[in-house]
Each structure stands twice: as structure tokens, then as C-alpha cells.
Amino acid sequence: MNETLSLLMNHRSIRKYTDRMVTEEQLEMIIAAGQMASSSSSVQAYSVIAVTDPEQKRALSALAGNQAYIVECPVFLVWCADLYRLQKVSEAHLGDQPSYVDSTENLIVATVDAALAAQNAAVAAESMGLGIVYIGGVRNQIAEFAEQLKLPELVYPVFGMCVGYPDQDPGIRPRLPLEGVLHHGTYDATKTVEEVKTYDNTYAEYMRARSGGKSTAAWSQFMAKRLSEPVRLHMKEYLQDKGFMKR
Amino acid sequence: MNETLSLLMNHRSIRKYTDRMVTEEQLEMIIAAGQMASSSSSVQAYSVIAVTDPEQKRALSALAGNQAYIVECPVFLVWCADLYRLQKVSEAHLGDQPSYVDSTENLIVATVDAALAAQNAAVAAESMGLGIVYIGGVRNQIAEFAEQLKLPELVYPVFGMCVGYPDQDPGIRPRLPLEGVLHHGTYDATKTVEEVKTYDNTYAEYMRARSGGKSTAAWSQFMAKRLSEPVRLHMKEYLQDKGFMKR
């Protein structure tokens, strides 16, 4: 296994950081690596906001589920889907032509672009000995969160990412069996249930160990709980208010 | 610069492949690396279909913009956002409780999960000497494309990915200047125009060289053209038909 594969296979999310700083040079390397990810027709429809000020991190953390690691990490990155830049630079050329910037297609393009760049950045950071964790909580109170960052229309925060030197060494969280996610030729809907049965036990064991016996739920129980909770139901209206997916 | 950073910084999309096969073992390594990417609350809301049969690749290519490299690459991967598995495994636990699987939030979660896994897989493939190119064309005739793969409700193809041994060595496509995508503290809407001006020239030069003088358009001209075209306006209706983003 080469060095890169070994790095990828050893990923774990880091939720506790030392107070060692991440330098501006390191940050730039991480973002530059993010930029090298593929982008649909070179649109590069994403932006990233780096937050290092402790007061600002505290304010953002309060809006994103109050996770201590957002405050404690030296750099908090907010990855945004960004169609604002495209719309702005196009205006001079568009003249009277309509812009389809508000299509659902373009929401998908921008969201995917942000995610591909972010994952490259995550790998880059880990290759430098740093740790990261993604923060979906930025969508909890997305309007207030976006306002703090002065995001214009056609920009939305997809997720955050804490970056810093790890101060913990958590175990690797088990994934679904490979056959659970990989299909050959066509989608095989029958295997979902079989593959998941084994995984339910693996996951329950992992959670039991991690929680010191407090949690013993199987993966599918967690999933059912998640689907039954009315999580972030404001997203549709918020995105449309911001100019996304109007058609 | 470490080996991984150097790999990331040297990415270029590969659109011409030798006929050397990708082994099942390599494929499994690539997907396993994809699985190690972060996933929102471990939902792992994605699936990937590996297509190797030449006839099937030809049929899929015809629906995805007729790109020859889809037929020529030894393995064509279709990365799907997959909420079907979550819904299925949850049903036994949900009982009478409602499922919010159809929220726009969950569309975002599944789309991001697919993209993070795919980008890890792309990096893994490249670390093994393989080349890749993302194929957004799978969304051109998405209903017919999904039908060929027998995708059930709550699964949609986000993009394809050709994988194989490179038979070309294209130059690296220039990205926006770092300061164009990286903001500090808050989003700086004023710099969009400045940063793009420089980039327009860089991009025009690159395209001129790549096209042998046929294309001389600046980046912002390409972007304006793209926004003015009614690309994949069926996405909203298609996704809602398949059970996504109903609220």
C-alpha cells in the first residue's frame, strides 16, 4: 500500500486539538490542494472562509451546535457553494440573455464542487500531520450563520471543517461492508438488508467500546432515529431565498 | 512537499486510456479508500455502480453526451446519492414515526457524501498510477440513465467517473488565484472582479495552447455562456419524482 492509500485508510475525525497554530503557509497549501480537485466545466463554484479569531469562532460555534472543537481548533474553515462569483463575472458578457444560475442543476454543481475541493483539502491537511472534522452543524441556524460571515446571495455554507494538530487518537469508525456500497453493472436493491445485518453488529460493538458501554444501538437504529427527526427542514426555503434551485 | 501533496497538486483529468485493465483488487482498494471519507453522522448515503461491460458502457455513453472515453476506459464508476438504503434499513425501527428522508437537507447530505467518497476514490486511483475524469453528463438524460442502472427511488446518479491507465499527459488546467476562493473572517464580495481579471488572461492563454489557437475565450466568457444555456433544467422535477427534496 502506498503512502497516500495508507493515509486515506487511516482517516479518523479529530475533535480535540493541541494549541499549536496552523501557519498561513500551511493554510494556503491546504486550500491550493483543494483547488486542484476537479470542477464541473472549471466553474469552481465554491469559496472557503477561514476563521481564526477566537471571538468569531465562539459566535459561530454557538450557531452550529455549540461544539467545543470549533472554538478550540486553530483554523475553522467554512466551505461554501458559491454561484455569486459566476453570476457576477458573467453579467458583463450576458447582456440581455437570461441566466439559469438559479437552476437545481447549478445547486448540485456548486455543492459538489465545494465537497470535492474540501475533501482534497482534508487529505492535504492530514498528509501534513493535521487532523480535521467536518461540521454539518453550520446548517442548524444557517441564516444567522451565513449573516455572521456576510455571505451574499447565491452563496451558502455547505459544511464547516475544523483543522489543527490532533490531541487525541480515536479509533477508526467502521464503514459499511464494501459490498454494501459497491454494485456491479446495475443497482442491487436486495443486498441492502443482508449487508447491513453484519454491519449493525460491528457498529454496535464499536459504539459500545467508544461510549464505555453507554451506547449499544445498531447502525440501522441510529439511522432510523436520524430520519425520524425533523432536522434542518428550513433548508429548502433558505436556499430558494438565497437564489438557489428556483427551477 | 510530501508525496500526497505532490499527487494532489499534479491532478489533471484523463480522457484517453490504454487498454490495460483495472483489476478487481484495484477497484476494491479504490472504493475502500472512498468509504474512508467522512460521512454526515455515518449515514454513508451513497452507492457506486461499477460498469465494465463494453455494451453497457456504450449504452450509458450514448445517454451521457457520447464521450468516447466512457466506452474506452476499463472501469466506469457511477457515483450515486443513496437515501434508499437508509429508508429501507430504518423501516423496521420507525414503526408509526414519520420519515424526513425527503427533505432538502437529506438531498444535500447524500450529495455531499457521494462527492466526498468519490474524491477520496479519485485520489486513491491516482496514487496507484491510474487516471480519472468526472462525468457530469450522467445528468443529461438522467431518467433514462438511471433506468439503465436500475436505480430505485431515493437514489440518483450525481456524476460518473472514468478510471484507467492514462494514454495522454495533458497540462494542468490553471485554477482561480488562491485569493479568489479563500476569504478571511468574512466573505469579501469586492475581490471577485479583481481576482478574476488576472485569471481571465491565464485561462485564455491555456485554452489557446490546448486548442491550437482555436479557442481564445476568457474564463468569464465561458462562465457566461454556461449560465446562459438551459442546462439540465429537468433536475428539479426528476429529483422530486424520485422522492428527494419534497420539503
Side-chain angles (χ1 to χ4, degrees), chain B residues 139-215:
Chain B
R139 302 191 301 272
N140 286 0
Q141 289 170 259
I142 192 166
E144 296 82 354
F145 191 92
E147 207 175 323
Q148 290 265 352
L149 299 173
K150 301 202 198 310
L151 303 185
E153 51 170 7
L154 290 169
V155 178
Y156 88 92
V158 187
F159 43 71
M161 183 188 283
C162 299
V163 183
Y165 285 93
D167 195 21
Q168 64 174 178
D169 187 11
I172 292 177
R173 189 188 293 253
R175 263 54 175 183
L176 279 164
L178 185 90
E179 315 79 56
V181 302
L182 175 59
H183 303 248
H184 286 86
T186 52
Y187 190 98
D188 179 0
T190 62
K191 70 176 173 179
T192 293
V193 180
E194 275 314 303
E195 303 303 342
V196 165
K197 231 180 266 173
T198 337
Y199 184 56
D200 264 355
N201 296 327
T202 319
Y203 198 83
E205 270 311 312
Y206 165 81
M207 288 305 284
R208 193 195 317 273
R210 191 178 133 162
S211 69
K214 268 179 258 168
S215 164

Side-chain angles (χ1 to χ4, degrees), chain A residues 29-106:
Chain A
M29 186 71 243
I30 290 166
I31 305 301
Q35 289 190 275
M36 290 309 298
S38 294
S39 162
S40 178
S41 307
S42 281
V43 296
Q44 304 166 76
Y46 65 92
S47 282
V48 54
I49 326 279
V51 180
T52 51
D53 177 69
E55 274 315 304
Q56 198 190 358
K57 282 189 290 173
R58 241 184 296 277
L60 292 174
S61 168
L63 295 169
N66 257 320
Q67 291 150 321
Y69 30 99
I70 298 180
V71 184
E72 290 160 10
C73 69
V75 181
F76 181 55
L77 298 176
V78 183
W79 292 91
C80 303
D82 185 351
L83 294 171
Y84 172 86
R85 180 171 53 230
L86 287 192
Q87 177 63 22
K88 281 295 147 194
V89 305
S90 296
E91 276 168 4
H93 304 291
L94 278 172
D96 288 342
Q97 295 173 90
S99 164
Y100 294 96
V101 71
D102 57 0
S103 68
T104 297
E105 162 67 11
N106 280 327

Side-chain angles (χ1 to χ4, degrees), chain A residues 56 82 100 119-120 185 187 227, chain B residues 56 82 100 119 185 187 227:
Chain A
Q56 198 190 358
D82 185 351
Y100 294 96
Q119 186 55 23
N120 249 22
Y187 190 97
L227 287 190
Chain B
Q56 196 189 359
D82 185 349
Y100 294 97
Q119 186 54 23
Y187 190 98
L227 288 190

Side-chain angles (χ1 to χ4, degrees), chain B residues 60-77:
Chain B
L60 292 174
S61 169
L63 295 169
N66 258 320
Q67 292 151 320
Y69 29 100
I70 298 181
V71 184
E72 290 160 9
C73 69
V75 181
F76 181 54
L77 299 176

Side-chain angles (χ1 to χ4, degrees), chain A residues 38 112 116, chain B residues 11 13-14 17 22 27 30-31 34 48-52 57 60 64 67 69-71 73-80 114-126 130-138 145 157-164:
Chain A
S38 294
V112 167
L116 300 184
Chain B
H11 165 73
S13 296
I14 296 298
Y17 299 95
V22 173
L27 174 62
I30 290 166
I31 306 300
V48 54
I49 326 279
V51 180
T52 52
K57 280 189 291 175
L60 292 174
Q67 292 151 320
Y69 29 100
I70 298 181
V71 184
C73 69
V75 181
F76 181 54
L77 299 176
V78 183
W79 292 91
C80 303
L116 299 185
Q119 186 54 23
N120 248 23
V123 172
E126 291 181 344
L130 295 159
I132 65 108
V133 62
Y134 280 87
I135 306 290
V138 307
F145 191 92
V158 187
F159 43 71
M161 183 188 283
C162 299
V163 183

